[in-house]
Amino acid sequence: MTESFSSRLNVAMAFRNVKQIDFVHAAEKFNIKLGKSHMSQYVSGKTVPRADIAHFLAAFLQVNEDWLMGKDVPMEQNAVILPAIESDETQPDSNSASAQSTEGKTMRTFTKSHKLDNVLYDVRGPVADEAARMEAAGTHILKLNIGNPAPFGFRTPDEVVYDMAQQLPETEGYSPSKGLFSARKAIMQYAQLKNIPNVSIDDIFTGNGVSELINLSLSALLDNGDEVLVPSPDYPLWTACVNLAGGTAVHYICDEESEWYPDIDDIRSKITDKTKAIVIINPNNPTGALYPKELLQQIVDIAREHQLIIFSDEIYDRLVMDGLEHISIASLAPDLFCVTFSGLSKSHMIAGYRIGWMILSGNKRIAKDYIEGLNMLANMRMCSNVPAQSVVQTALGGHQSVKDYIKPGGRVYEQRELVYQMLNEIPGVTAVKPKAAFYIFPKLDVKKFNIHSDEQFALDLLHDKHILISHGGAFNWQNPDHFRVVYLPRITMLKETISEIADFLSTYHQA
Ligand SMILES: Cc1ncc(COP(=O)(O)O)c(C=O)c1O
């Protein structure tokens, strides 16, 4: 608990850019007894504060008190409640995050919306914040936490850059809200190749990445209390956007013992009369799983039986290895309403250009009203990035440079082979071989390492070896026994990094 409290305190202080002395000064104003030595003991983990001091620290840092004390709850809090200031100061202290008193009048402070109460996006959360703080202090951090190909030397195909440059002068204005005709036509033809049924050009929406469309599609659908089945582990934006839209993300388990495939019985057991939709992520982030046709068929059967919308996130569909084929679930469900998401961030290594799309297919009659809502929200954001739309046709046609990465001898393939082998050689670590994408989700032997907090594990690895990974909890995985590695770095760097993780784990025993 002590260890946990001090690291949370350090993370929150880095996050809010607060120094130890700031607490001491603020405490004076609130007539709270808090000396420099107390603060340094809390920060170093020698002691934990009494309840009233903990309350003050949490309020000053604007974090959830339970989180600060090491509990498994979100970091953020809404209300900031501090005792009234008994001070003759008239100038508000810019470091103080609390309600300020000016001539006896309590000033209003601004907290974030309650809509964010259940929203968590920890892939870029406190551990990444701590890494940013260390970087700012001059420490080099090796980041294996975000699937961003460009920093690891994955270059955008020349033709894509050339074509965007050529078209730049013609892409200054807004496009139609769903996107340029040429882009949507190319996506429509792509849908035909994937056997996605009943797709016209009007059924294609481009977006500023798949991210924007995940948010848009859930905002247009959900009323308060509606339930959506989301995988665990998941790409956490899905859970966050369901909750942000007022819905409830109900997690179904993906089974590590079965290649990380969704557990069909678990899906069935989680359906209620409030369930409106099921999300699948195929190929999967964070596990790298690729779902076979029989499994997809079983999911379709459930969706049919319970009249659910299928949302299928297929952004990694062109990053499939071992000669396997990706099957779009929508191709198996012509009688259901499906929304299929993909984009160019990963397959064309242009995550920064921000271009993705969603394809409506199958039985669109049952979703007429919902589609009106989608149109309304798409219109409200005018359109997606037009220069990026202008390269969709080029990107989806002709030679697919990504294919060179995923065959034997290609970078993604060879990096996967290495990372899979090296991780499995570490005592206390096991990992299922990913079939697609560029992630692996290894399991830690929690007994061997005495791990009770995966976030703490990530922080310890960061502090000790300057390696940033994402803890399993960031992917809505309930047990503290997994972490995700992005295996985008080159072989030499990966070798070094995984050896460092092995070295770290050879003595690791969580306090
Ligand atoms: C499964 C999944 N869906 C969607 C996204 C977001 O992609 P985009 O860059 O198109 O917003 C990511 C990004 O990592 C992802 O892993």
Side-chain angles (χ1 to χ4, degrees):
M1 170 65 103
T2 309
E3 177 69 16
S4 203
F5 166 78
S6 76
S7 31
R8 293 259 165 111
L9 180 63
N10 280 293
V11 167
M13 284 170 67
F15 187 58
R16 301 278 184 224
N17 197 14
V18 167
K19 298 190 198 61
Q20 292 183 32
I21 194 71
D22 298 330
F23 290 104
V24 178
H25 288 156
E28 271 165 26
K29 288 187 194 145
F30 292 106
N31 288 333
I32 291 172
K33 272 206 161 147
L34 180 68
K36 283 187 204 159
S37 62
H38 291 123
M39 269 321 298
S40 103
Q41 287 190 356
Y42 302 151
V43 166
S44 65
K46 287 207 179 97
T47 54
V48 288
R50 296 190 318 255
D52 55 331
I53 301 289
H55 179 70
F56 167 76
L57 297 177
F60 187 72
L61 288 164
Q62 290 192 306
V63 297
N64 185 325
E65 192 175 330
D66 285 340
W67 175 84
L68 189 63
M69 296 310 290
K71 290 199 186 140
D72 195 14
V73 293
M75 175 186 182
E76 302 296 331
Q77 59 139 231
N78 289 305
V80 180
I81 303 155
L82 280 175
I85 302 173
E86 285 174 32
S87 159
D88 53 9
E89 292 243 14
T90 49
Q91 288 300 312
D93 177 351
S94 63
N95 267 331
S96 171
S98 63
Q100 298 289 334
S101 171
T102 306
E103 290 167 3
K105 186 177 162 203
T106 299
M107 281 181 71
R108 177 180 175 192
T109 59
F110 296 91
T111 57
K112 65 184 170 331
S113 157
H114 284 290
K115 290 201 287 292
L116 296 179
D117 281 356
N118 298 318
V119 177
L120 205 62
Y121 191 69
D122 259 3
V123 180
R124 297 193 182 211
V127 184
D129 292 334
E130 172 64 355
R133 189 197 62 76
M134 289 167 69
E135 263 188 331
T139 309
H140 175 72
I141 305 290
L142 186 65
K143 295 193 200 109
L144 302 182
N145 67 323
I146 304 261
N148 189 12
F152 298 101
F154 285 95
R155 299 310 316 266
T156 307
D158 289 348
E159 203 186 352
V160 169
V161 178
Y162 178 83
D163 282 20
M164 188 187 282
Q166 290 297 306
Q167 297 183 78
L168 214 44
E170 283 110 59
T171 53
E172 288 165 343
Y174 296 127
S175 70
S177 69
K178 288 182 189 170
L180 296 170
F181 182 84
S182 64
R184 288 190 292 143
K185 186 80 189 178
I187 296 162
M188 191 181 130
Q189 288 172 340
Y190 187 71
Q192 285 166 359
L193 293 177
K194 308 248 2 173
N195 298 316
I196 300 181
N198 197 18
V199 178
S200 75
I201 197 135
D202 277 341
D203 301 318
I204 290 158
F205 293 67
T206 63
N208 295 301
V210 166
S211 306
E212 183 189 36
L213 296 171
I214 292 175
N215 198 358
L216 190 150
S217 59
L218 294 167
S219 302
L221 180 70
L222 298 178
D223 286 314
N224 288 349
D226 285 346
E227 292 176 6
V228 177
L229 290 162
V230 178
S232 167
D234 73 342
Y235 174 61
L237 187 64
W238 279 102
T239 296
C241 288
V242 168
N243 292 341
L244 182 61
T248 304
V250 177
H251 292 108
Y252 64 84
I253 296 292
C254 294
D255 183 3
E256 188 167 22
E257 306 293 314
S258 307
E259 303 269 344
W260 282 116
Y261 295 157
D263 180 330
I264 296 293
D265 291 337
D266 196 49
I267 293 178
R268 282 194 183 281
S269 74
K270 303 264 165 78
I271 294 175
T272 71
D273 51 8
K274 292 192 189 138
T275 314
K276 260 193 174 162
I278 180 164
V279 173
I280 69 162
I281 302 170
N282 176 39
N284 192 270
N285 175 8
T287 64
L290 177 74
Y291 301 161
K293 189 170 176 186
E294 308 73 61
L295 177 72
L296 294 172
Q297 189 62 61
Q298 285 178 291
I299 296 171
V300 169
D301 292 345
I302 294 179
R304 184 173 293 128
E305 192 185 329
H306 295 277
Q307 306 202 17
L308 307 179
I309 294 179
I310 299 177
F311 289 114
S312 186
D313 182 341
E314 304 183 356
I315 192 157
Y316 299 100
D317 71 334
R318 278 149 289 163
L319 278 155
V320 172
M321 290 172 274
D322 307 329
L324 297 166
E325 188 201 357
H326 175 265
I327 297 166
S328 277
I329 191 167
S331 70
L332 307 174
D335 56 325
L336 306 181
F337 180 66
C338 299
V339 188
T340 305
F341 299 80
S342 194
L344 300 181
S345 289
K346 315 292 174 171
S347 60
H348 289 73
M349 316 291 171
I350 52 172
Y353 288 6
R354 310 308 296 131
I355 174 70
W357 56 81
M358 63 180 182
I359 303 170
L360 316 185
S361 69
N363 188 349
K364 289 172 287 184
R365 262 179 308 124
I366 57 172
K368 193 167 165 290
D369 197 57
Y370 171 44
I371 294 170
E372 264 175 39
L374 291 175
N375 280 321
M376 184 190 284
L377 290 187
N379 287 335
M380 281 161 60
R381 54 93 218 227
M382 308 307 275
C383 64
S384 68
N385 177 344
V386 186
Q389 289 180 46
S390 76
V391 299
V392 171
Q393 196 176 22
T394 305
L396 287 183
H399 173 68
Q400 295 295 301
S401 56
V402 68
K403 288 198 169 148
D404 300 334
Y405 291 129
I406 55 179
K407 62 186 184 199
R411 267 192 71 183
V412 174
Y413 180 93
E414 296 301 333
Q415 287 162 198
R416 175 200 58 168
E417 294 295 298
L418 179 94
V419 93
Y420 169 69
Q421 192 198 328
M422 284 189 76
L423 281 168
N424 277 299
E425 278 167 8
I426 303 175
V429 178
T430 48
V432 175
K433 192 170 195 175
K435 303 283 188 310
F438 31 65
Y439 309 103
I440 189 164
F441 199 55
K443 182 174 188 172
L444 293 160
D445 182 338
V446 284
K447 281 212 181 96
K448 178 173 166 58
F449 303 117
N450 193 40
I451 292 176
H452 43 85
S453 158
D454 52 353
E455 189 178 52
Q456 186 62 46
F457 162 75
L459 276 172
D460 292 341
L461 179 66
L462 177 66
H463 287 142
D464 197 5
K465 295 290 187 183
H466 305 164
I467 296 170
L468 176 60
I469 49 90
S470 307
H471 59 290
F475 305 95
N476 294 298
W477 183 251
Q478 297 309 323
N479 301 320
D481 56 357
H482 281 77
F483 65 106
R484 186 190 73 171
V485 170
V486 177
Y487 57 81
L488 285 170
R490 289 187 186 280
I491 289 273
T492 42
M493 197 185 268
L494 269 180
K495 254 191 201 151
E496 209 179 297
T497 313
I498 308 296
S499 305
E500 290 289 319
I501 294 178
D503 185 54
F504 171 79
L505 285 171
S506 66
T507 54
Y508 187 63
H509 192 262
Q510 197 168 93

